[in-house]
Amino acid sequence: MSESKIKSKVSGDVWILLWVGWLAIALSQILTFGYGMMVPGIMEDFAMDYDTIGSVGAVASWIAVVANIPITAMAARSNPKYSLPSIYLVFAAGCLLFSLANSLPMLYIGRLIAGAGATGLVSCMVVIKIRRVPADKMVEINGIENFVQPLGQTCGTLLMAQILALVGGWRTVYQGICLLMILCAVLWILFYSKVNRRDPDIPVQRPDSSNPSREKEKSPLLLALSQKTVILYALAYPGTIIIWIGFFYYFPSYFMSERGFTDVQAGLATGLFPVFSAIASIVSPKLSKKLDVNKSVLVGSGIALSILYFIILQISSLPLLCLVSAFTGFVSYLPVPLYFTNVYKLGLPPKAVQMATSVLLTMVSLGSALGSSVIGELITLYGLYTGLAVCCATPLWYSLLCLFTPDYSAKAMAKRAAEKAAASSVQS
């Protein structure tokens, strides 16, 4: 077997390890995006209004905003064999406490602990991917990871009404997730031990222009924040997340109370969104590579999403609603694999890539927190339709900032490299 084929291979044990990590991510997505379907039951049990239920939902996102970077930095210095299982167990503890809550403070505390655990699920996987996944497989791996997330979202929306009826309520759902997260922790430790014995780390490849001596002068976080792309992506992403989280938290209630759909119909319309997001996660890397497009997908998707979310609010036909919801889900995830993979193209060392990913995820959490709490407040003040309609414009902010980022298509990167080489030859 040639050396190039060896470098491009991901071993079976590493695949198992990745899928354990992705299962944990999917479970967190089930709770996050099934929350909207559980809102009526929680509101009834605790006699809440939309403002209060929105603040409970936002707690997990706010703790992620505060803790994402510190947790990632701590995990980068820790042994991955134990850092991720620890995160899984913290998440499980939060789910258990939330399920046993008999007062509003207990709900907040359980949600906060679960949010702290969920915070490191994605960013701490970066270390494993850098150490065990060849560079030419990274877009494929990120595409699968971005496929798994909407798959969990699908279970949390499309199937949650049936799950709630089957298991007897939202508390049992949280307890089931708790048990599965404990299982993930056990499986991770077992398979990481096997991987560590059999598979050597993959050497990190950086562009020739990278300067290792300068890298050592800066912390990974400062290296990440020194990149224009990281800053602009971080500021841009909340624009799509605010209305995105609003779709999962509040659109089901809007469909039922304002459009007269049943809970099953609302779950179907909402659940098709992540189904097609999952499809987009697989299609996007292949499509962008074949057509050699990158920046145009990022900019165009934000403009399209503003229009599509607003159209959804006007629809009263279930077949049309399902169709537009599915297309919106597809468009929403087209840029996601590109967005996170572009960070790997900056020539940063592994820990800086991990911190850059953590910065982006922190801003995702900020968008989720704002989407939950701000939209909840707007709905309380002005009603469901107006509160949601105002936030349909937020993806335009994403498109605006992405206009000022470099294009990371193969053609654009080759052109920049050629221009830099030509400038260097002129100077020499």
Side-chain angles (χ1 to χ4, degrees):
M1 184 179 290
S2 67
E3 183 180 351
S4 62
K5 288 184 178 178
I6 293 174
K7 288 183 178 179
S8 296
K9 182 180 178 182
V10 179
S11 74
D13 286 336
V14 172
W15 274 113
I16 293 173
L17 197 64
L18 289 171
W19 277 107
V20 171
W22 292 336
L23 173 60
I25 292 172
L27 293 173
S28 73
Q29 297 293 306
I30 288 172
L31 286 189
T32 299
F33 294 92
Y35 185 73
M37 297 302 296
M38 290 186 277
V39 157
I42 299 173
M43 290 179 68
E44 182 180 355
D45 287 354
F46 292 90
M48 296 179 185
D49 58 17
Y50 279 107
D51 189 17
T52 304
I53 195 68
S55 66
V56 171
V59 166
S61 298
W62 284 119
I63 190 63
V65 172
V66 175
N68 205 328
I69 292 176
I71 287 175
T72 303
M74 182 172 62
R77 298 185 179 93
S78 306
N79 185 343
K81 179 178 179 179
Y82 300 109
S83 58
L84 268 167
S86 299
I87 289 170
Y88 298 162
L89 293 177
V90 170
F91 186 90
C95 290
L96 181 61
L97 184 59
F98 191 87
S99 73
L100 298 176
N102 55 16
S103 65
L104 190 57
M106 281 186 69
L107 277 181
Y108 278 111
I109 294 171
R111 187 82 174 169
L112 185 148
I113 294 173
T119 293
L121 292 178
V122 176
S123 58
C124 292
M125 285 284 287
V126 173
V127 172
I128 302 301
K129 289 188 287 184
I130 290 176
R131 290 182 181 181
R132 310 294 181 180
V133 176
D136 63 336
K137 293 290 186 182
M138 194 62 72
V139 176
E140 176 187 345
I141 294 297
N142 283 338
I144 296 173
E145 185 171 302
N146 292 132
F147 168 82
V148 168
Q149 294 182 46
L151 195 62
Q153 296 164 19
T154 301
C155 293
T157 51
L158 187 63
L159 303 178
M160 186 52 71
Q162 290 84 352
I163 293 173
L164 288 169
L166 180 65
V167 302
W170 60 272
R171 295 180 187 272
T172 311
V173 171
Y174 271 84
Q175 290 165 5
I177 297 293
C178 171
L179 293 175
L180 289 172
M181 291 300 293
I182 293 172
L183 176 62
C184 285
V186 174
L187 291 174
W188 181 275
I189 292 173
L190 292 176
F191 282 99
Y192 190 88
S193 298
K194 293 177 66 177
V195 167
N196 218 30
R197 288 195 300 267
R198 297 179 183 178
D199 298 284
D201 286 354
I202 293 172
V204 178
Q205 299 177 354
R206 302 190 184 95
D208 295 335
S209 58
S210 65
N211 188 337
S213 62
R214 287 189 61 190
E215 290 173 357
K216 293 179 181 178
E217 296 173 3
K218 293 184 178 180
S219 71
L221 178 59
L222 291 178
L223 274 173
L225 293 177
S226 69
Q227 301 294 315
K228 172 187 174 182
T229 296
V230 174
I231 296 296
L232 287 176
Y233 280 178
L235 293 174
Y237 212 18
T240 60
I241 296 298
I242 288 173
I243 186 62
W244 179 70
I245 202 71
F247 179 86
F248 288 101
Y249 278 18
Y250 301 113
F251 273 59
S253 296
Y254 174 80
F255 295 150
M256 289 184 280
S257 64
E258 303 293 326
R259 294 300 177 191
F261 294 120
T262 66
D263 58 346
V264 174
Q265 291 172 328
L268 173 63
T270 310
L272 285 172
F273 186 105
V275 169
F276 282 81
S277 294
I279 295 171
S281 297
I282 298 299
V283 171
S284 177
K286 300 180 185 299
L287 190 64
S288 64
K289 185 176 181 180
K290 183 176 182 179
L291 301 179
D292 196 25
V293 290
N294 192 292
K295 182 176 177 178
S296 57
V297 175
L298 302 183
V299 175
S301 62
I303 297 171
L305 287 171
S306 284
I307 298 170
L308 288 167
Y309 281 120
F310 188 73
I311 290 174
I312 286 175
L313 290 176
Q314 319 308 318
I315 299 173
S316 56
S317 165
L318 181 61
L320 182 59
L321 178 62
C322 291
L323 179 64
V324 178
S325 176
F327 184 64
T328 306
F330 185 84
V331 174
S332 71
Y333 256 72
L334 270 180
V336 174
L338 309 181
Y339 176 87
F340 282 100
T341 302
N342 286 347
V343 174
Y344 292 82
K345 300 178 181 180
L346 300 177
L348 296 171
K351 289 184 179 180
V353 174
Q354 186 178 13
M355 293 310 299
T357 303
S358 179
V359 169
L360 301 185
L361 291 171
T362 296
M363 297 306 289
V364 170
S365 299
L366 178 61
S368 297
L370 291 173
S372 180
S373 56
V374 172
I375 297 179
E377 181 67 22
L378 288 172
I379 289 171
T380 299
L381 293 174
Y382 304 110
L384 273 166
Y385 177 82
T386 302
L388 293 171
V390 167
C391 294
C392 287
T394 58
L396 296 176
W397 170 255
Y398 171 84
S399 292
L400 177 64
L401 291 188
C402 285
L403 276 173
F404 298 98
T405 61
D407 187 358
Y408 289 98
S409 64
K411 184 177 180 180
M413 292 185 69
K415 181 181 178 181
R416 287 198 297 270
E419 289 173 350
K420 189 169 186 178
S424 299
S425 62
V426 169
Q427 290 177 358
S428 60

